Amino acid sequence: MSMFEGLKFRKVSSPIHDLDPRVKFFYVIAMFAVAVMYMELLPLIVLFLIQVPLVTMAKVTKQWIKSMRGAAFFASIIFFTNFIFSYLYQGQQALPSILEYSMAMTLRFIVLVESFSIFFLTTSPDHLGLALEKSHVPYEFCFAFTTAVRFVPVLAEEAQTIMDAQKARGLELEKGNILKRVRNYIPILIPLIVNAIRRSLELAEAMESRAWGATKNRTNLYELKLRRGDYILALLTVVMLVLAVYARWHIPIPRIMEIFPWKASR
Amino acid sequence: MIEVKNVHFTYPSGVEALQGVSLKIRNGEFVAIMGQNGAGKTTLVKHFNGLLKPSKGNVLVDGMDTRDVSVATLARKVGFVFQNPDHQLFSETVEEEIAFALRNFGFKENVIKRRVTWALNLLGLTQYRKTSPFMLSGGERKRVALASVLAWNPKILILDEPTIGQDYGQKEKLRQFILQMKAQKKTVVIVTHDVEFVAECNPRVVLMSNGKIVADGEARKILTSPEILEKAAIIPPEISRVFLELSEFGFPTNVIDVYEAGEIILDFWEAKNREHV
Ligand SMILES: Nc1ncnc2c1ncn2[C@@H]1O[C@H](COP(=O)(O)OP(=O)(O)OP(=O)(O)O)[C@@H](O)[C@H]1O
Ligand SMILES: [Mg+2]
């Protein structure tokens, strides 16, 4: 739960929230590409650190820390599998470099989560829908998409209430063998699904009684427009991409243990 | 007996829904918890069967700390009917729905059958025995939810908004039923906004506002004190409002019962007539 909590949009006003979702998405993709390009620890540390100012600028530090904490579990799995397998493969003498390699792989994952978390924490579903519309996706799909995103927290909350209601009738979820445990979830899934269907029918009725789809040419109250901040972020992203590609091919990247020799001497 | 000792509760989202609540509910008591939307009523009663555990303080049910026992164990003692029946109905037939909890508690098949029949009868649902609960009306679904909890005959019964969507006949039946529970020394706690219903039942009223208890006493006293009620966004029952308006003519201000009100008016009228003769 806590990991999703760290990806849930919060309405705050900040320069990052005001950015165009398309530019932010471009940024996330660029981050992704750069993170995948490097296997060395040093550039990944840089990637991690340059995103921190964005987080503080967006005033979402608390939620961001939550998402990082949620990612910690998966991160530790990635670290240990990498470590164990390269240890088995390369043997003991390369221990420091194995350690650095596993850390780099872990950090790569963390950088990805970090940029996705910034994106989802600062982009409202409405903006996302608008961006889809601008990208010529049919309006029906955009609407379905934003509605789905909207209802995720509602569903999560409802699932909790249903669980409470069934526990109050003596249901014990963690009882019995595997098969029984799966079956224990039926009293929770059925009301959840029935309510979701009922709600969607009601939503459809409510929308139709408010003349949804009555006019062919829809206009929006809020128009997405590229502003100065968007151009700055786009430019910075392009610069980062170019630098990263250049550095990849032309600059040998030192290992951390070469920079700090006391570690290497062990 | 339920003892709530200086309980604080904060939801993961950071809302402090209970801010130091202390309350003692004795066996056989009938308590109505009232207060505006978001006052923390549902949050408080969810502590009574251990669904929520206090962030600070303790809740004891018959001397057991709710932190030490599972919800399923407590549920045998504390029946809880949720606000919205759609959060619990899932079976193919009403009969199965009612039997669900009985199976969870490990009752024998013949006992289950007897209890289901008893509960169906009690709430006037016998004709729907084989119907799917999803085909019933809102008020009927609410009654199925109630029946499914009453079936195991818990010692303490908690009803969250039991009168919503019920017609007068059903409300009256509910009232009779609660009185019956009281006669059997069972504890009943209702959470409600229905002032008229509370006035008719005359229970102990616990008034909540912003996560705190602001008043606690018999309905007759609390429901006729506009200053207290205002804090919890409630107005007195209609009959009390009439009597409050008439107080300058020497009428008592603490009337909540319609029959009693009728008697008082008749007495007053007769006294007036005698004066004129
Ligand atoms: N699952 C939850 N997560 C976070 N906050 C919650 C949750 N449930 C309730 N709250 C908050 O806790 C406070 C008390 O809510 P509660 O449901 O106890 O009120 P209530 O008195 O039962 O209101 P109502 O009369 O509307 O049923 C409210 O401010 C509400 O927003
Ligand atoms: Mg409530």
Side-chain angles (χ1 to χ4, degrees), chain A residues 5 66 158 161-172 175 186-188 190-192 194-195 198, chain B residues 12 46 49 51 70-72 75 80 82 86-90 97 100-101 104-105 134 141 148-149 152:
Chain A
E5 193 71 6
K66 256 189 201 159
E158 183 155 296
T161 312
I162 293 172
M163 249 188 248
D164 283 353
Q166 305 297 33
K167 273 197 216 155
R169 296 205 293 162
L171 176 71
E172 287 176 276
K175 217 171 99 179
I186 293 177
I188 288 160
I190 293 183
L192 194 62
V194 169
N195 286 351
R198 200 176 269 162
Chain B
K46 275 188 176 175
N49 68 344
L51 280 173
S70 73
V71 177
F80 193 124
F82 273 65
D86 295 334
H87 284 146
Q88 65 162 67
L89 302 180
F90 74 99
E97 190 66 51
F100 172 70
N104 286 336
F105 291 131
F134 299 113
R141 288 206 295 272
S148 77
V149 172
W152 78 82

Side-chain angles (χ1 to χ4, degrees), chain A residues 157, chain B residues 11 13 15 17 35-43 83 161 193:
Chain A
E157 197 174 301
Chain B
Y11 279 104
S13 64
V15 180
Q36 82 252 45
N37 291 128
K41 306 180 295 294
T42 304
T43 310
Q83 207 161 334
E161 305 278 5
H193 294 280

